[in-house]
Amino acid sequence: MVFDLDLIKKLYAAMPAKIDAARKTLGRPLTLAEKILYAHLWKGVEIKDFKRGKDYVDFAPDRVAMQDATAQMALLQFDTTGRKKVAVPSTVHCDHLIVAKTESKTDLAKAVSDNEEVYNFLSSISNKYGIGFWKPGAGIIHQVVLENYAFPGGMMIGTDSHTVNAGGLGMVAIGVGGADACDVMAGLSWELLMPKLIGVKLTGKLNGWAAPKDVILKVAGILTVKGGTNAIVEYFGEGATNMSCTGKGTICNMGAEIGATTSTFGYDESMSRYLKATGRTEVADAADKIKEYLTGDADVYANPEKYFDQVIEINLSELEPHLNGPFTPDLATPISKMKEAAVKNGWPTRVEVGLIGSCTNSSYEDISRAVSLAKQVSEKGLQLKSEFTITPGSELVRYTIERDGFLNVFEKIGATVFANACGPCIGMWERVGAEKQERNTIVHSFNRNFAKRADGNPNTMAFVASPELVTALAIAGDLTFNPLTDTLVNDKGETVKLDPPNGDELPVKGFSVEDAGYQAPAEDGSKVVVDVKQDSKRLQLLYPFAKWEGTDLKGLKLLIKAKGKCTTDHISMAGPWLKFRGHLDNISNNMLIGAVNFFNEKTDNVKNQLTGEYGTVPNTQRAYKAAGVGTIVVGDENYGEGSSREHAAMEPRHLGVRVVLVKSFARIHETNLKKQGMLAITFADKEDYNKIQEDDVIDVIGLTSFTPGTPLQLALHHKDGNTDTITVNHSYNAQQIEWFKAGGALNVIRAEFSKA
C-alpha cells in the first residue's frame, strides 16, 4: 500500500517552480535543506533570504507522526480545538508503552492488557479525527515512518525528537512537542527559527568493521550535544551516495543527540532502491523525474564553505569504529583507544549486556550484519560472554528476518528477542538486578545513554556503538576488545579472530509480512465517542491554563537551581512514568525529580521557603501552588536536551512554575515552554547563574512592555536583605508573546476556532 501518493505527486508538481523562484530571489545555488524549506513556505509567506538563526518563518509540513506516549497529550489538546478532522495526514504509533522483560510475545501480550485503556483511547480518537493508527507490536514509529511514509523532498514533524530519522529518505523531518503537532493538525502554519546549515562531506567508502553509526558517533564527538542546535546538518559526497538508505537513517536519527533541528541526505540510488523494496515504486518514479530538485545544487557540494555555516569532512575509508559514553552520547572514543580510556576513567570493562535494535539501528542491513557475527559463535567454537538482546524496529523487519532464519541464529546462541518496540532504549526494560544499583557496563546500538535511562540504575554505564560492534563486544564480554586486532580463545583452547561483518542492504527475497499492524481511520468519525473515565489514573481531559495577569511577576520563590546536565529525562522521567503520559496531574509527580539541586548536590530534595523544610520537588511545588505563590526554575547549559516530550514543559506549568531561567536551552524544549505560556529566559551574563541563592525571592521586571529583542530585568532579593539586579534575554517574537499573554498557544487556537 502506498500512502499519500496524491499528496506527493502534487508536491512534486509544484516543487521545481518554487525552488527556481527561491534560487532566483536569493541569487545563488541552494542546499537541499533550503530547497525543501522554501518549497514548504506557508501560503502568503514572501520568498526572501531569511537570516539563519534569526528569523522565525511559517511553514506547511506535509504530515504529522506521533508515538503513543506523546500522542496522548497531543490528541487531548487537539480534542479541544473544535476541528472535525486533521488537516494533514497524521499517524499514531504504539511503541513506547511495551516493557521489555521476558520475550516478545509474552511482553506484548502483557502490554496490551496493562495499557488497554490507553490503546482504546488512542484507537478511538484516531478513528474520530481521521488519523492512521499503528497497533502495539507494529513497530517503532521512526522505522515504520521510513518504511511507509517518508519520501524525498518532503517535510514532516513528529512528537518525538528522533523524527529526524526520516532524513535518511531525503526529508526535512523535525521533532516537536504536542502543541506544535496540534497546530499543524488543526490546519495552522508551523513556526520554525530559520536553521543554520552545517555541511558534512563524506568521502571514501565504509569498509570492514566501520558502519554508518560510526559516522554520527564521530560527528557527535566533534560537535558535542549542543553543537547542532538550531541547525540542519546536510550530508553529501561520494561517501553519502555509497551508503545504504537505512544507514543514512541511522545517521540522521542520532543527529538529535547533537541538538540538530534535523539532518538530511540528497536523493540517490540507495533511496530509490529502498522505496522500491518497501512497495513504493510509484514514489521512486515520481522522485526520479525531479531528482535534481531533491539534492543540493552542484556548486554547493563543490564549494561547501560558500554555502554552509560550518563544514566537516570525514573520510569513510579511514573511519574507525567508535564507542560513545558513558552518560552522554558525545563522549566519543575510537575502539583502538578504549582500553586506555577505560583504565584512565575506571570504567568496568566486563560487558554485562549487549543490546541491538531500536529506532536507530534495526534495519534489515543492521540485523544481517550482526547475524553474520552471531553465526561465528558456533562456527568458531565460541560462547556468548554477555547477555544479548535484539529489538526489531518493525513487524515488517521482524517477519522478514524470521523468514530468513536470522532470529533462529540469535536464539541458538542464547539471545533474547524483545517486542517490536522502544523497550530498553527509553527505560522500558525490567532488567533483573537493576534495583541493586551496582556499577556495571552495557553496550547498545541505541542513541542515548543518560544516567538511569536504560534500566533506572544510575551506576549503569551505557556505551553507544554500531550493532556490529555491540555484537562483537557481547561475544567477547569485554569493553576493551578490539575486533580489528584482538583474538579470542575458543572451547578447544584455540586462538580465533572474528571475521568482519557482512550483510545485505535489502533482503534478496524481498520484504514480507502477514499483518503490518495498520488500522485505517473511519471515513466518517463524527459519531465516534472518545471515552475518558472521570476516575481514570491514566487519562485526564485538559483544562485551559490561566492567562497572564498583565503585570510584572513579583515575589517568585526559587524552586530549584539545577546543576549540570538537566535533560528532559531529568525533568520528566520516562520508564515507569510513561503510564501517566495521558494524565497531567499524575505525571506531574515526577517533575524535576532527576535534577541535581545545586545547593545540596541531591536529587529530588529542595527547600520549601514557606516552611524551611526540605522535601521532594513536586511536593514542594504543590505547596507553593496551594499557597498561591509563583516560582522560578534555574538551570545550566543546554537545559531540556534530549527527548521532545512536552510533559517537561506542561508539568511545571500545571504545578504553578512561572519562569524557567537558564544559561542556554535545547531547541525543542524552549519552544515547548513558549507554547505552554511559560516565560523561558536566559542569563545575559552566564556568570549571573552564580548569584542565584537558595532563599531568593525574585521579581521579573519589564513584562508590561514585553517586546521582541528587548531584554528583561530580574531583581534577586536575597535572605540577607541585599538585592542583585541582573539582565536576562529572551527569543520571543510577536506571535510567541501573544502565546505568553494568552496563557498558552492552545488558548489562541481555541479563540480562533470559536470565532469561525
Side-chain angles (χ1 to χ4, degrees):
M1 176 178 185
V2 182
F3 294 94
D4 306 334
L5 186 58
D6 289 342
L7 179 154
I8 295 168
K9 287 181 175 179
K10 183 178 178 182
L11 175 70
Y12 282 179
M15 208 167 183
K18 290 181 177 180
I19 291 170
D20 288 343
R23 193 188 287 114
K24 182 179 179 181
T25 299
L26 273 59
R28 58 173 171 78
L30 300 179
T31 66
L32 169 64
E34 289 175 311
K35 289 181 179 182
I36 299 174
L37 292 171
Y38 278 99
H40 286 83
L41 290 176
W42 184 253
K43 54 193 175 191
V45 173
E46 178 189 357
I47 295 175
K48 64 178 184 177
D49 197 354
F50 297 106
K51 294 175 184 173
R52 300 173 190 172
K54 299 284 186 184
D55 290 342
Y56 283 94
V57 185
D58 286 341
F59 293 100
D62 299 308
R63 68 163 27 256
V64 174
M66 298 165 279
Q67 40 96 333
D68 50 356
T70 52
Q72 294 172 64
M73 201 58 71
L75 292 176
L76 284 165
Q77 291 178 83
F78 182 79
D79 194 44
T80 70
T81 64
R83 287 286 308 205
K84 302 299 182 188
K85 192 173 183 179
V86 291
V88 300
S90 305
T91 51
V92 167
H93 304 259
C94 296
D95 60 1
H96 271 57
L97 302 178
I98 301 168
V99 176
K101 181 181 181 181
T102 308
E103 54 80 38
S104 58
K105 290 181 181 177
T106 304
D107 293 345
L108 180 58
K110 188 173 189 306
V112 170
S113 173
D114 290 350
N115 302 306
E116 182 180 17
E117 178 185 9
V118 173
Y119 292 147
N120 286 344
F121 163 73
L122 291 172
S123 173
S124 64
I125 200 166
S126 296
N127 225 4
K128 183 175 182 67
Y129 292 117
I131 298 168
F133 180 73
W134 290 82
K135 295 178 281 190
I140 307 172
I141 176 173
H142 314 302
Q143 181 78 19
V144 174
V145 165
L146 197 72
E147 292 167 354
N148 294 277
Y149 299 109
F151 65 93
M155 173 186 271
M156 68 174 285
I157 60 170
T159 60
D160 189 286
S161 55
H162 293 106
T163 298
V164 294
N165 187 81
L169 251 177
M171 291 195 91
V172 162
I174 300 175
V176 299
D180 275 353
C182 186
D183 283 359
V184 175
M185 290 189 294
L188 304 178
S189 62
W190 176 63
E191 181 186 75
L192 177 71
L193 187 67
M194 195 67 174
K196 296 179 181 179
L197 300 175
I198 298 173
V200 180
K201 183 178 182 179
L202 302 179
T203 62
K205 188 174 183 179
L206 291 168
N207 61 83
W209 285 89
K213 184 64 159 274
D214 297 306
V215 176
I216 186 58
L217 294 178
K218 184 172 181 64
V219 169
I222 294 168
L223 289 176
T224 77
V225 292
K226 57 181 290 189
T229 302
N230 291 324
I232 291 179
V233 182
E234 186 170 324
Y235 293 84
F236 61 95
E238 61 171 343
T241 54
N242 284 335
M243 197 182 297
S244 69
C245 176
T246 52
K248 294 176 173 71
T250 290
I251 293 169
C252 293
N253 180 297
M254 209 174 151
E257 273 51 72
I258 58 172
T261 300
T262 192
S263 304
T264 195
F265 286 78
Y267 178 65
D268 62 17
E269 284 300 314
S270 72
M271 294 184 191
S272 177
R273 290 194 298 271
Y274 186 74
L275 285 167
K276 291 171 182 175
T278 50
R280 292 174 286 172
T281 299
E282 299 99 321
V283 178
D285 291 344
D288 287 340
K289 292 174 183 174
I290 62 161
K291 59 185 178 182
E292 67 271 25
Y293 291 97
L294 301 176
T295 190
D297 286 335
D299 194 57
V300 169
Y301 295 158
N303 300 286
E305 294 81 6
K306 290 169 58 178
Y307 304 99
F308 293 99
D309 299 291
Q310 181 179 356
V311 178
I312 296 168
E313 186 168 338
I314 298 172
N315 185 343
L316 300 187
S317 301
E318 299 173 357
L319 183 63
E320 187 177 346
H322 278 60
L323 278 163
N324 284 29
F327 304 133
T328 185
D330 60 348
L331 182 57
T333 305
I335 188 63
S336 63
K337 304 292 184 185
M338 180 49 73
K339 191 171 293 186
E340 177 187 333
V343 170
K344 179 182 176 182
N345 293 286
W347 296 330
T349 57
R350 171 173 166 70
V351 174
E352 302 292 340
V353 191
L355 307 99
I356 66 170
S358 84
C359 68
T360 325
N361 275 114
S362 56
S363 68
Y364 186 88
E365 181 181 40
D366 290 329
I367 303 299
S368 68
R369 284 172 62 85
V371 89
S372 75
L373 296 169
K375 286 176 180 176
Q376 296 180 50
V377 173
S378 57
E379 291 171 353
K380 300 193 175 187
L382 297 168
Q383 285 188 336
L384 203 60
K385 295 289 182 63
S386 308
E387 289 182 48
F388 190 49
T389 73
I390 296 93
T391 303
S394 70
E395 178 58 12
L396 182 72
V397 165
R398 190 214 64 78
Y399 189 93
T400 304
I401 62 175
E402 181 179 45
R403 180 203 67 190
D404 291 350
F406 295 174
L407 293 186
N408 189 44
V409 172
F410 286 131
E411 288 165 356
K412 276 185 177 177
I413 67 170
T416 300
V417 180
F418 287 139
N420 313 324
C422 300
C425 182
I426 60 162
M428 295 298 277
W429 180 22
E430 204 165 308
R431 184 184 178 192
V432 176
E435 72 283 352
K436 298 175 186 175
Q437 298 200 354
E438 296 173 337
R439 289 181 86 244
N440 75 104
T441 288
I442 66 173
V443 291
H444 61 57
S445 67
F446 308 157
N447 39 44
R448 293 196 177 128
N449 55 355
F450 306 141
K452 299 185 179 182
R453 181 171 173 94
D455 62 3
N457 177 3
N459 299 311
T460 291
M461 298 184 184
F463 292 83
V464 183
S466 69
E468 300 95 313
L469 189 57
V470 170
T471 305
L473 295 182
I475 292 170
D478 184 352
L479 184 67
T480 67
F481 174 71
N482 182 353
L484 285 77
T485 58
D486 296 349
T487 57
L488 299 168
V489 177
N490 69 9
D491 53 13
K492 295 178 183 176
E494 300 167 335
T495 298
V496 297
K497 192 177 182 196
L498 293 174
D499 299 324
N502 62 81
D504 294 317
E505 175 185 325
L506 296 163
V508 175
K509 300 177 187 175
F511 284 107
S512 185
V513 69
E514 284 186 352
D515 178 8
Y518 176 68
Q519 172 187 295
E523 284 292 325
D524 179 8
S526 61
K527 293 184 173 61
V528 176
V529 176
V530 179
D531 183 25
V532 176
K533 300 181 181 67
Q534 287 238 319
D535 60 350
S536 173
K537 299 292 190 292
R538 301 285 302 269
L539 297 163
Q540 179 188 46
L541 295 175
L542 295 177
Y543 60 90
F545 290 132
K547 295 180 180 179
W548 171 56
E549 50 270 69
T551 63
D552 287 339
L553 302 179
K554 296 191 174 182
L556 303 178
K557 304 289 188 184
L558 176 69
L559 174 62
I560 186 172
K561 179 180 176 179
K563 180 180 180 180
K565 188 183 282 282
C566 192
T567 71
T568 48
D569 278 39
H570 295 84
I571 305 167
S572 176
M573 287 185 178
W577 290 96
L578 280 174
K579 61 178 174 284
F580 297 126
R581 283 285 183 87
H583 197 296
L584 183 55
D585 194 57
N586 282 346
I587 200 170
S588 293
N589 289 320
N590 79 358
M591 185 190 76
L592 284 159
I593 63 176
V596 176
N597 183 354
F598 179 91
F599 299 106
N600 60 13
E601 301 281 335
K602 295 180 180 179
T603 57
D604 203 21
N605 188 268
V606 295
K607 186 175 183 179
N608 182 336
Q609 291 190 43
L610 303 178
T611 65
E613 297 175 352
Y614 284 81
T616 69
V617 182
N619 285 346
T620 303
Q621 180 57 39
R622 287 185 187 276
Y624 286 134
K625 182 178 181 180
V629 175
T631 58
I632 182 171
V633 168
V634 174
D636 213 316
E637 295 280 9
N638 208 29
Y639 184 87
E641 169 192 345
S643 167
S644 70
R645 66 193 68 152
E646 67 180 338
H647 298 76
M650 294 186 78
E651 291 171 32
R653 181 74 167 103
H654 170 65
L655 291 184
V657 176
R658 302 299 303 273
V659 181
V660 179
L661 166 66
V662 300
K663 292 181 182 177
S664 65
F665 283 105
R667 176 190 64 85
I668 299 176
H669 187 62
E670 181 179 21
T671 300
N672 285 346
L673 289 168
K674 291 177 178 179
K675 285 278 185 178
Q676 300 304 331
M678 295 278 280
L679 185 63
I681 51 180
T682 56
F683 291 100
D685 180 353
K686 293 182 180 182
E687 291 301 312
D688 286 343
Y689 172 87
N690 299 314
K691 294 179 180 178
I692 307 292
Q693 299 178 19
E694 188 172 31
D695 292 289
D696 278 355
V697 178
I698 299 171
D699 299 335
V700 182
I701 302 163
L703 286 176
T704 53
S705 56
F706 194 12
T707 52
T710 303
L712 301 169
Q713 303 294 311
L714 258 62
L716 313 176
H717 303 293
H718 306 308
K719 191 176 182 181
D720 62 7
N722 291 322
T723 296
D724 277 317
T725 300
I726 65 172
T727 300
V728 294
N729 295 328
H730 68 84
S731 61
Y732 287 74
N733 61 23
Q735 177 176 264
Q736 293 166 350
I737 289 172
E738 291 308 308
W739 297 344
F740 172 76
K741 291 178 177 178
L746 197 55
N747 289 347
V748 175
I749 295 174
R750 290 190 189 102
E752 287 181 9
F753 278 112
S754 67
K755 296 173 190 173

